[in-house]
Amino acid sequence: MSEPRKILVTSALPYANGSIHLGHMLEYIQTDMWVRFQKHRGNQCIYVCADDAHGSAIMLRAEKEGITPEQLIANVQAEHSADFAEFLVDFDNFHSTHAEENRELSSQIYLKLRDAGHIATRSITQYFDPEKKMFLADRFIKGTCPKCGTEDQYGDNCEKCGATYAPTDLKDPKSAISGATPVLKDSQHFFFKLPDFQEMLQAWTRSGTLQEAVANKIAEWLDAGLQQWDISRDAPYFGFEIPDEPGKYFYVWLDAPIGYMASFKNLCNRTPELDFDAFWGKDSTAELYHFIGKDIVNFHALFWPAMLEGAGFRKPTGINVHGYLTVNGQKMSKSRGTFIKARTYLDHLSPEYLRYYYAAKLSRGVDDLDLNLEDFVQKVNSDLVGKVVNIASRCAGFIHKGNAGVLVAGNAAPELTEAFLAAAPSIAEAYEARDFARAMREIMGLADRANAWIADKAPWSLNKQEGKQDEVQAICALGINLFRQLVIFLKPVLPLLAADAEAFLNVAPLTWNDHATLLSNHQLNEFKPLMTRIDPVKVQAMTDASKEDLTASQTDTGEAAAPQGNGELTKDPLSPEIEFDTFAAVDLRVALILKAEAVEGADKLLRLTLDIGDEQRNVLSGIKSAYPDPAKLEGRLTMMIANLKPRKMKFGVSEGMVMAAGPGGEEIYLLSPDSGAKPGQRIK
């Protein structure tokens, strides 16, 4: 038998500035299932994480709430820890990046990089808020787009025309924090010389460490040539001061991944048998895996391995990247009640329902995963209650009534038990590859076979016949054993169900290797319902509880409150009042979307071909971030301003404007008329 593996696993650090939602939970559940599988197999697998607790956004939110940043991150960490625990995410350590271990390691890594010549310094010019006495990141600057003249755009790109630019190119810039007019000011910054590691990264990213699609994306950046990375920020800033550089702080993304090391270091300090260097040292033979979302690939597959290499630490064995979560085929939405916080879900439903549904949909790729709420109800009820638990509930009663709860010896269907045994290596292989969907399909295929066999034998009918009681006991004993096999295979996904099943089966905690044996002449405990069906009413109650009124509305110009780094919305002042006659002059029509397509070269725009009854119009709309698959809009009714003067834009002429609402970014929702509306109808 091979030696147990030594594995260290991390998930991306949640930002200590808001609640965990179901999109976040996708990653932590995925990681937890893989870790539980490794432990189930007898490997040493350690799972660490931490709150990402630094940055301007946390400093500003704490100031707004009248508390210290330390108080804010402590409050958020308590909330996060409770949510993770109730979702059965079993960290070996959940720490914080605002910890002494992280301060020490961040300083150590920086000094090693500096002394090896991998740190550069140069002066840069940035906007500075004279009222707040702080330099402004791009997202904290608003002004008029230098390309198309649209007002109220943020400091790095225009949502109207899709142009990208430097914040210094904005016209009439204003601080989004204080409203003051910022001034240009020079400051010395510190840069990590990422190009020093170009050759190493080209080899490492093609070594099997990354999924092929991720490696291909990284190759695009590598082929374009790497740039030095700004790793410093000026005071005031909530974070760690750079050694020997008063008033200069590490950028949050410098110390965030080091938080993985710091969390493990904290665990080692409390666990004498753990050796930090055995997992992080240059010569470590342990395995190291990071689970992350596709939006932070560059930090983990370029900056992070280069930092580790330059500072003399080992690099990850693998970086496992997943896609985003959609709900009912669309981005999570507060107005539709599908932006669901972890706590809101837990107030209404069992965590294991979601754990199973995620497992049933998660492949090893980076595709997005859709939580379809109707399918969620159907699949959980069908698979877990109707198939797996059904086996135990069908058989337990006959064993308790007919044989005092004792499983008889024997094997009533050797070919079936052999099929279960033969399936184990393939299921284990799917778990190992993070292809949870394949593992669940194979497990449910076994459940189908077990149910079909029991239905064919029909012990409920045999039990009514004279002299058939021994056969009934043999059938039901094997049924319980097959249920036990399924529980073993499902334990990484459903630890609560497994614990309840172990209590019913009257056995010690099951391990993977137990699948090779059958219980014989074994006393069962009383059977109690192990899982109930999802009531759709509870799902509706959950979405109702999640609904929030939209805090801002916008048209396709993108002129709305935009998300800030702290996840809140900046509340813009009302525009000047207009006369009713001005408003009445707007010709608002029902429009049928005939065609929707991305505009080549534009980051934000879709080109919509609209039918407004007596003619067709082409409209350029800045809603691409909310509708990444624009073809899904085709055939839908929306509303447009039909008498808006055509406007020549960088990517063509826009012959009107469609109406949308939302806080911006990914949360933009095309407005639709009530059912029964016809293209061309005027809305009054």
Side-chain angles (χ1 to χ4, degrees):
M1 191 172 179
S2 60
E3 287 290 316
R5 295 154 61 188
K6 293 171 59 176
I7 309 169
L8 178 60
V9 179
T10 75
S11 295
L13 311 185
Y15 200 42
N17 195 33
S19 300
I20 301 296
H21 58 64
L22 297 194
H24 297 132
M25 285 310 311
L26 173 65
E27 178 171 306
Y28 303 102
I29 288 173
Q30 179 192 37
T31 315
D32 180 76
M33 293 187 301
W34 196 79
V35 168
R36 285 180 182 271
F37 168 72
Q38 298 298 342
K39 292 179 177 180
H40 199 31
R41 297 268 281 177
N43 294 319
Q44 181 187 23
C45 190
I46 301 166
Y47 183 17
V48 299
C49 196
D51 265 339
D52 182 4
H54 287 156
S56 297
I58 285 175
M59 177 184 72
L60 293 169
R61 178 180 166 186
E63 179 182 307
K64 180 180 178 182
E65 295 186 9
I67 59 177
T68 66
E70 289 82 0
Q71 287 175 304
L72 173 64
I73 63 177
N75 294 343
V76 173
Q77 185 171 25
E79 178 189 327
H80 286 181
S81 297
D83 289 348
F84 288 136
E86 289 190 47
F87 262 108
L88 312 173
V89 176
D90 190 20
F91 298 117
D92 290 283
N93 196 40
F94 188 72
H95 204 36
S96 169
T97 59
H98 192 64
E100 194 57 35
E101 297 92 349
N102 202 29
R103 184 192 303 274
E104 293 173 358
L105 284 164
S106 297
S107 297
Q108 176 187 344
I109 288 172
Y110 166 79
L111 291 172
K112 285 186 176 182
L113 294 173
R114 185 194 69 181
D115 294 347
H118 298 307
I119 301 296
T121 61
R122 67 175 181 269
S123 181
I124 66 171
T125 302
Q126 287 179 287
Y127 273 129
F128 182 83
D129 186 325
E131 290 188 14
K132 293 294 292 184
K133 305 297 184 186
M134 64 182 291
F135 284 96
L136 297 171
D138 296 354
R139 66 182 180 275
F140 294 139
I141 305 166
K142 300 176 77 173
T144 300
C145 173
K147 305 293 185 182
C148 71
T150 300
E151 297 178 354
D152 217 25
Q153 297 303 300
Y154 280 84
D156 53 358
N157 68 278
C158 175
E159 293 190 355
K160 171 66 175 180
C161 70
T164 58
Y165 40 74
T168 50
D169 294 333
L170 275 176
K171 299 176 183 177
D172 303 318
K174 299 290 182 185
S175 167
I177 300 172
S178 70
T181 299
V183 297
L184 291 173
K185 190 173 179 179
D186 292 339
S187 174
Q188 179 170 270
H189 274 233
F190 296 77
F191 294 81
F192 175 46
K193 295 161 71 174
L194 188 61
D196 291 356
F197 301 91
Q198 174 95 18
E199 187 174 337
M200 179 277 291
L201 289 169
Q202 285 176 322
W204 182 78
T205 56
R206 288 297 189 186
S207 65
T209 304
L210 308 173
Q211 294 123 299
E212 185 177 359
V214 178
N216 290 340
K217 182 62 181 178
I218 293 293
E220 294 178 15
W221 292 328
L222 288 167
D223 291 345
L226 298 174
Q227 304 296 315
Q228 293 185 359
W229 177 39
D230 189 344
I231 60 167
S232 66
R233 294 294 184 267
D234 291 279
Y237 192 80
F238 185 60
F240 294 142
E241 205 166 36
I242 298 176
D244 307 322
E245 303 294 341
K248 303 291 182 179
Y249 290 79
F250 288 128
Y251 173 45
V252 60
W253 264 109
L254 184 285
D255 66 64
I258 299 173
Y260 300 141
M261 304 173 77
S263 183
F264 184 67
K265 181 73 169 177
N266 176 262
L267 182 63
C268 290
N269 292 341
R270 297 183 284 107
T271 314
E273 60 269 25
L274 283 179
D275 178 14
F276 180 83
D277 290 335
F279 286 84
W280 285 102
K282 190 74 172 177
D283 299 322
S284 169
T285 58
E287 301 170 52
L288 170 63
Y289 298 96
H290 300 308
F291 284 73
I292 64 167
K294 61 185 179 182
D295 55 325
I296 53 174
V297 162
N298 58 334
F299 292 105
H300 285 80
L302 290 175
F303 303 153
W304 179 230
M307 287 167 54
L308 292 168
E309 177 78 8
F313 291 100
R314 58 88 46 82
K315 296 184 290 295
T317 309
I319 297 177
N320 305 320
V321 183
H322 62 82
Y324 300 133
L325 179 74
T326 58
V327 181
N328 294 337
Q330 296 181 293
K331 293 183 182 298
M332 295 172 65
S333 162
K334 293 178 181 178
S335 64
R336 289 191 294 269
T338 58
F339 191 94
I340 303 167
K341 292 181 179 180
R343 178 55 45 191
T344 306
Y345 176 96
L346 291 165
D347 287 342
H348 296 87
L349 295 166
S350 163
E352 293 206 308
Y353 296 152
L354 191 68
R355 287 177 66 97
Y356 176 71
Y357 192 76
Y358 280 172
K361 303 271 281 190
L362 270 166
S363 69
R364 60 175 304 166
V366 294
D367 295 333
D368 294 346
L369 185 153
D370 185 52
L371 169 58
N372 181 287
L373 294 175
E374 288 187 12
D375 181 56
F376 166 66
V377 172
Q378 187 277 329
K379 189 160 191 64
V380 169
N381 289 348
S382 172
D383 289 1
L384 297 185
V385 182
K387 295 179 182 180
V388 177
V389 173
N390 185 52
I391 296 171
S393 61
R394 273 179 159 184
C395 299
F398 293 112
I399 295 169
H400 278 290
K401 292 176 183 177
N403 202 38
V406 176
L407 293 180
V408 299
N411 185 347
E415 73 289 348
L416 192 53
T417 56
E418 179 58 35
F420 271 59
L421 185 64
S426 178
I427 295 170
E429 180 185 78
Y431 268 121
E432 180 68 40
R434 308 180 316 282
D435 194 349
F436 299 104
R438 178 164 73 86
M440 296 307 104
R441 286 195 301 272
E442 295 188 19
I443 293 168
M444 290 306 147
L446 295 175
D448 285 336
R449 292 188 63 174
N451 275 297
W453 178 77
I454 294 169
D456 180 63
K457 295 299 181 181
W460 43 87
S461 297
L462 290 175
N463 199 50
K464 298 174 183 177
Q465 300 176 30
E466 191 70 30
K468 295 291 186 177
Q469 277 63 46
D470 288 348
E471 187 176 351
V472 168
Q473 290 303 311
I475 293 167
C476 291
L478 182 57
I480 294 297
N481 268 300
L482 296 178
F483 166 75
R484 172 177 169 272
Q485 308 290 72
L486 295 172
V487 168
I488 291 169
F489 294 149
L490 286 167
K491 188 172 181 177
V493 179
L494 304 171
L496 282 184
L497 175 65
D500 289 344
E502 288 159 355
F504 158 61
L505 294 168
N506 192 26
V507 295
L510 294 163
T511 67
W512 185 267
N513 290 336
D514 289 329
H515 80 272
T517 62
L518 298 177
L519 298 177
S520 180
N521 293 318
H522 179 79
Q523 178 69 57
L524 299 176
N525 287 325
E526 179 186 358
F527 179 79
K528 299 177 182 179
L530 297 170
M531 184 173 283
T532 58
R533 293 179 179 274
I534 299 177
D535 185 345
V537 171
K538 291 186 177 181
V539 175
Q540 184 61 51
M542 175 185 69
T543 58
D544 288 344
S546 300
K547 287 180 180 176
E548 295 181 12
D549 291 332
L550 293 174
T551 56
S553 62
Q554 66 172 37
T555 63
D556 65 333
T557 61
E559 297 175 336
Q564 297 298 291
N566 63 3
E568 295 184 352
L569 294 174
T570 301
K571 293 179 175 62
D572 293 329
L574 292 174
S575 301
E577 292 180 344
I578 62 173
E579 297 293 337
F580 179 79
D581 289 346
T582 303
F583 174 73
V586 174
D587 186 357
L588 194 59
R589 300 287 183 100
V590 175
L592 173 66
I593 303 174
L594 299 174
K595 188 174 183 181
E597 57 189 342
V599 177
E600 185 175 351
D603 294 334
K604 306 286 186 181
L605 294 178
L606 295 182
R607 179 177 285 106
L608 305 177
T609 302
L610 305 174
D611 176 2
I612 58 170
D614 54 355
E615 63 177 301
Q616 292 184 11
R617 298 276 189 90
N618 287 311
V619 169
L620 298 178
S621 179
I623 58 173
K624 182 178 178 181
S625 59
Y627 298 99
D629 185 1
K632 290 184 178 179
L633 292 173
E634 293 174 5
R636 176 175 164 178
L637 292 176
T638 187
M639 296 183 286
M640 73 168 292
I641 299 175
N643 63 336
L644 190 67
K645 184 177 179 180
R647 183 172 185 178
K648 187 174 182 181
M649 300 170 62
K650 177 180 178 182
F651 298 99
V653 176
S654 185
E655 302 172 311
M657 178 185 292
V658 294
M659 305 302 292
E666 296 179 355
E667 284 199 59
I668 303 172
Y669 315 107
L670 277 180
L671 301 184
S672 298
D674 291 339
S675 59
K678 303 294 182 184
Q681 283 184 337
R682 186 170 183 182
I683 301 169
K684 297 182 178 181

